[in-house]
Short mmCIF file of all heavy atoms in Angstrom, two decimals:
data_model
loop_
_atom_site.label_atom_id
_atom_site.label_comp_id
_atom_site.label_asym_id
_atom_site.label_seq_id
_atom_site.Cartn_x
_atom_site.Cartn_y
_atom_site.Cartn_z
N TYR A 1 148.16 -49.14 -54.29
CA TYR A 1 147.02 -49.95 -54.71
C TYR A 1 146.29 -50.63 -53.55
O TYR A 1 145.20 -51.17 -53.75
CB TYR A 1 147.48 -51.02 -55.70
CG TYR A 1 148.01 -50.46 -57.00
CD1 TYR A 1 149.35 -50.64 -57.37
CD2 TYR A 1 147.18 -49.77 -57.87
CE1 TYR A 1 149.84 -50.13 -58.56
CE2 TYR A 1 147.65 -49.25 -59.07
CZ TYR A 1 148.99 -49.43 -59.41
OH TYR A 1 149.47 -48.92 -60.59
N GLY A 2 146.89 -50.64 -52.35
CA GLY A 2 146.24 -51.30 -51.24
C GLY A 2 145.85 -52.72 -51.59
O GLY A 2 146.68 -53.52 -52.02
N ALA A 3 144.55 -53.01 -51.44
CA ALA A 3 144.05 -54.36 -51.73
C ALA A 3 143.25 -54.42 -53.03
O ALA A 3 142.43 -55.31 -53.23
CB ALA A 3 143.18 -54.84 -50.57
N VAL A 4 143.50 -53.47 -53.92
CA VAL A 4 142.73 -53.41 -55.18
C VAL A 4 142.99 -54.64 -56.05
O VAL A 4 142.07 -55.20 -56.65
CB VAL A 4 143.05 -52.12 -55.95
CG1 VAL A 4 142.47 -52.16 -57.37
CG2 VAL A 4 142.50 -50.91 -55.20
N TYR A 5 144.26 -55.07 -56.12
CA TYR A 5 144.61 -56.21 -56.96
C TYR A 5 145.03 -57.40 -56.11
O TYR A 5 145.78 -57.24 -55.14
CB TYR A 5 145.77 -55.85 -57.91
CG TYR A 5 145.45 -54.72 -58.85
CD1 TYR A 5 145.97 -53.44 -58.63
CD2 TYR A 5 144.64 -54.91 -59.95
CE1 TYR A 5 145.69 -52.39 -59.49
CE2 TYR A 5 144.34 -53.87 -60.82
CZ TYR A 5 144.87 -52.61 -60.58
OH TYR A 5 144.58 -51.57 -61.43
N PRO A 6 144.60 -58.61 -56.44
CA PRO A 6 145.07 -59.82 -55.73
C PRO A 6 146.59 -59.96 -55.86
O PRO A 6 147.20 -59.39 -56.76
CB PRO A 6 144.35 -60.96 -56.46
CG PRO A 6 143.16 -60.32 -57.10
CD PRO A 6 143.60 -58.93 -57.47
N THR A 7 147.19 -60.73 -54.95
CA THR A 7 148.65 -60.84 -54.88
C THR A 7 149.29 -61.18 -56.23
O THR A 7 150.20 -60.49 -56.69
CB THR A 7 149.04 -61.91 -53.83
OG1 THR A 7 148.59 -61.48 -52.56
CG2 THR A 7 150.55 -62.10 -53.80
N ASN A 8 148.84 -62.26 -56.85
CA ASN A 8 149.46 -62.68 -58.10
C ASN A 8 149.26 -61.65 -59.21
O ASN A 8 150.15 -61.42 -60.04
CB ASN A 8 148.92 -64.04 -58.55
CG ASN A 8 149.71 -65.19 -57.94
OD1 ASN A 8 150.93 -65.09 -57.76
ND2 ASN A 8 149.02 -66.26 -57.62
N GLU A 9 148.11 -61.00 -59.23
CA GLU A 9 147.86 -59.97 -60.24
C GLU A 9 148.77 -58.76 -60.02
O GLU A 9 149.31 -58.18 -60.97
CB GLU A 9 146.39 -59.55 -60.20
CG GLU A 9 145.99 -58.64 -61.36
CD GLU A 9 144.50 -58.34 -61.38
OE1 GLU A 9 143.72 -59.10 -60.75
OE2 GLU A 9 144.12 -57.34 -62.02
N LEU A 10 148.94 -58.39 -58.76
CA LEU A 10 149.81 -57.26 -58.45
C LEU A 10 151.27 -57.58 -58.77
O LEU A 10 152.00 -56.75 -59.33
CB LEU A 10 149.67 -56.88 -56.98
CG LEU A 10 150.40 -55.62 -56.50
CD1 LEU A 10 149.93 -54.40 -57.29
CD2 LEU A 10 150.18 -55.40 -55.01
N LEU A 11 151.69 -58.80 -58.44
CA LEU A 11 153.06 -59.21 -58.77
C LEU A 11 153.29 -59.21 -60.27
O LEU A 11 154.34 -58.75 -60.75
CB LEU A 11 153.34 -60.61 -58.21
CG LEU A 11 153.85 -60.71 -56.77
CD1 LEU A 11 153.94 -62.15 -56.35
CD2 LEU A 11 155.17 -59.99 -56.61
N LYS A 12 152.33 -59.73 -61.00
CA LYS A 12 152.47 -59.76 -62.47
C LYS A 12 152.46 -58.36 -63.04
O LYS A 12 153.21 -58.05 -63.99
CB LYS A 12 151.35 -60.60 -63.09
CG LYS A 12 151.59 -60.90 -64.56
CD LYS A 12 150.65 -61.98 -65.07
CE LYS A 12 151.01 -62.32 -66.52
NZ LYS A 12 150.13 -63.41 -67.05
N LYS A 13 151.64 -57.50 -62.49
CA LYS A 13 151.57 -56.11 -62.93
C LYS A 13 152.93 -55.41 -62.73
O LYS A 13 153.34 -54.60 -63.55
CB LYS A 13 150.48 -55.39 -62.12
CG LYS A 13 150.18 -53.95 -62.53
CD LYS A 13 149.05 -53.42 -61.66
CE LYS A 13 148.78 -51.96 -61.94
NZ LYS A 13 148.25 -51.69 -63.29
N MET A 14 153.63 -55.79 -61.66
CA MET A 14 154.90 -55.15 -61.33
C MET A 14 156.09 -55.84 -62.01
O MET A 14 156.92 -55.19 -62.64
CB MET A 14 155.12 -55.13 -59.82
CG MET A 14 156.43 -54.50 -59.40
SD MET A 14 156.69 -54.61 -57.61
CE MET A 14 158.26 -53.74 -57.46
N THR A 15 156.17 -57.17 -61.85
CA THR A 15 157.38 -57.88 -62.27
C THR A 15 157.23 -58.66 -63.57
O THR A 15 158.21 -59.16 -64.12
CB THR A 15 157.83 -58.89 -61.19
OG1 THR A 15 156.88 -59.96 -61.11
CG2 THR A 15 157.93 -58.21 -59.82
N GLY A 16 155.97 -58.82 -64.03
CA GLY A 16 155.74 -59.57 -65.26
C GLY A 16 155.45 -61.04 -65.04
O GLY A 16 155.21 -61.77 -66.00
N GLU A 17 155.49 -61.50 -63.77
CA GLU A 17 155.17 -62.90 -63.49
C GLU A 17 154.53 -63.02 -62.13
O GLU A 17 154.67 -62.17 -61.26
CB GLU A 17 156.40 -63.79 -63.59
CG GLU A 17 157.51 -63.46 -62.61
CD GLU A 17 158.72 -64.37 -62.75
OE1 GLU A 17 158.52 -65.60 -62.93
OE2 GLU A 17 159.84 -63.86 -62.68
N GLU A 18 153.78 -64.12 -61.95
CA GLU A 18 153.13 -64.38 -60.68
C GLU A 18 154.16 -64.91 -59.67
O GLU A 18 155.35 -64.98 -59.96
CB GLU A 18 151.97 -65.36 -60.89
CG GLU A 18 150.87 -64.79 -61.77
CD GLU A 18 149.68 -65.72 -61.91
OE1 GLU A 18 149.79 -66.92 -61.55
OE2 GLU A 18 148.63 -65.26 -62.40
N PHE A 19 153.67 -65.27 -58.48
CA PHE A 19 154.53 -65.76 -57.41
C PHE A 19 155.47 -66.85 -57.92
O PHE A 19 155.04 -67.85 -58.50
CB PHE A 19 153.66 -66.32 -56.28
CG PHE A 19 154.44 -66.93 -55.15
CD1 PHE A 19 155.14 -66.15 -54.26
CD2 PHE A 19 154.45 -68.31 -54.97
CE1 PHE A 19 155.85 -66.72 -53.21
CE2 PHE A 19 155.14 -68.89 -53.93
CZ PHE A 19 155.85 -68.09 -53.04
N ASN A 20 156.77 -66.65 -57.69
CA ASN A 20 157.77 -67.60 -58.15
C ASN A 20 158.84 -67.74 -57.06
O ASN A 20 159.69 -66.86 -56.90
CB ASN A 20 158.41 -67.11 -59.45
CG ASN A 20 159.39 -68.11 -60.03
OD1 ASN A 20 159.78 -69.07 -59.37
ND2 ASN A 20 159.81 -67.88 -61.26
N PRO A 21 158.81 -68.84 -56.30
CA PRO A 21 159.76 -69.01 -55.19
C PRO A 21 161.19 -69.27 -55.64
O PRO A 21 162.10 -69.31 -54.80
CB PRO A 21 159.19 -70.20 -54.43
CG PRO A 21 158.42 -70.97 -55.44
CD PRO A 21 157.86 -69.96 -56.38
N ASP A 22 161.42 -69.45 -56.94
CA ASP A 22 162.79 -69.70 -57.42
C ASP A 22 163.74 -68.58 -57.00
O ASP A 22 164.91 -68.83 -56.69
CB ASP A 22 162.82 -69.82 -58.94
CG ASP A 22 162.18 -71.12 -59.43
OD1 ASP A 22 161.92 -72.00 -58.60
OD2 ASP A 22 161.93 -71.23 -60.64
N TYR A 23 163.24 -67.36 -56.99
CA TYR A 23 164.10 -66.22 -56.65
C TYR A 23 164.56 -66.31 -55.19
O TYR A 23 165.70 -65.97 -54.87
CB TYR A 23 163.35 -64.90 -56.88
CG TYR A 23 163.01 -64.66 -58.33
CD1 TYR A 23 161.72 -64.87 -58.80
CD2 TYR A 23 163.99 -64.25 -59.24
CE1 TYR A 23 161.39 -64.66 -60.14
CE2 TYR A 23 163.67 -64.03 -60.57
CZ TYR A 23 162.38 -64.25 -61.01
OH TYR A 23 162.08 -64.04 -62.33
N TYR A 24 163.68 -66.74 -54.32
CA TYR A 24 164.03 -66.87 -52.90
C TYR A 24 165.03 -67.99 -52.69
O TYR A 24 166.02 -67.83 -51.95
CB TYR A 24 162.74 -67.14 -52.11
CG TYR A 24 162.90 -67.14 -50.61
CD1 TYR A 24 163.75 -66.26 -49.95
CD2 TYR A 24 162.16 -68.04 -49.83
CE1 TYR A 24 163.86 -66.26 -48.57
CE2 TYR A 24 162.26 -68.05 -48.46
CZ TYR A 24 163.11 -67.17 -47.82
OH TYR A 24 163.22 -67.18 -46.45
N ILE A 25 164.80 -69.13 -53.34
CA ILE A 25 165.73 -70.25 -53.24
C ILE A 25 167.12 -69.83 -53.71
O ILE A 25 168.13 -70.10 -53.03
CB ILE A 25 165.24 -71.45 -54.09
CG1 ILE A 25 163.83 -71.90 -53.66
CG2 ILE A 25 166.24 -72.58 -54.06
CD1 ILE A 25 163.75 -72.52 -52.32
N ARG A 26 167.17 -69.16 -54.85
CA ARG A 26 168.46 -68.72 -55.39
C ARG A 26 169.11 -67.66 -54.49
O ARG A 26 170.33 -67.68 -54.26
CB ARG A 26 168.26 -68.17 -56.81
CG ARG A 26 169.58 -67.82 -57.49
CD ARG A 26 169.41 -67.63 -58.98
NE ARG A 26 168.67 -66.42 -59.30
CZ ARG A 26 167.55 -66.40 -59.99
NH1 ARG A 26 167.01 -67.52 -60.45
NH2 ARG A 26 166.93 -65.26 -60.25
N TYR A 27 168.29 -66.75 -53.99
CA TYR A 27 168.80 -65.68 -53.13
C TYR A 27 169.49 -66.26 -51.89
O TYR A 27 170.62 -65.88 -51.56
CB TYR A 27 167.65 -64.77 -52.72
CG TYR A 27 167.95 -63.79 -51.62
CD1 TYR A 27 168.62 -62.60 -51.87
CD2 TYR A 27 167.57 -64.07 -50.30
CE1 TYR A 27 168.90 -61.70 -50.84
CE2 TYR A 27 167.83 -63.18 -49.27
CZ TYR A 27 168.50 -61.99 -49.54
OH TYR A 27 168.78 -61.11 -48.52
N LEU A 28 168.82 -67.18 -51.19
CA LEU A 28 169.41 -67.78 -49.99
C LEU A 28 170.68 -68.56 -50.32
O LEU A 28 171.69 -68.46 -49.62
CB LEU A 28 168.40 -68.69 -49.31
CG LEU A 28 167.22 -68.02 -48.60
CD1 LEU A 28 166.24 -69.08 -48.09
CD2 LEU A 28 167.68 -67.13 -47.46
#
């Protein structure tokens, strides 16, 4: 998709939700 979709739209399209730092906090 390159730059066709903005970040949050692309994330939601893939994962079902926009940027969510909870995953990073939990991962670390």
Side-chain angles (χ1 to χ4, degrees):
Y1 295 115
V4 169
Y5 299 104
T7 297
N8 273 324
E9 189 175 340
L10 186 59
L11 273 175
K12 191 167 184 178
K13 185 178 175 66
M14 179 184 182
T15 69
E17 61 181 318
E18 296 184 347
F19 177 73
N20 184 348
D22 289 348
Y23 296 102
Y24 186 38
I25 302 292
R26 185 165 70 238
Y27 168 81
L28 289 175

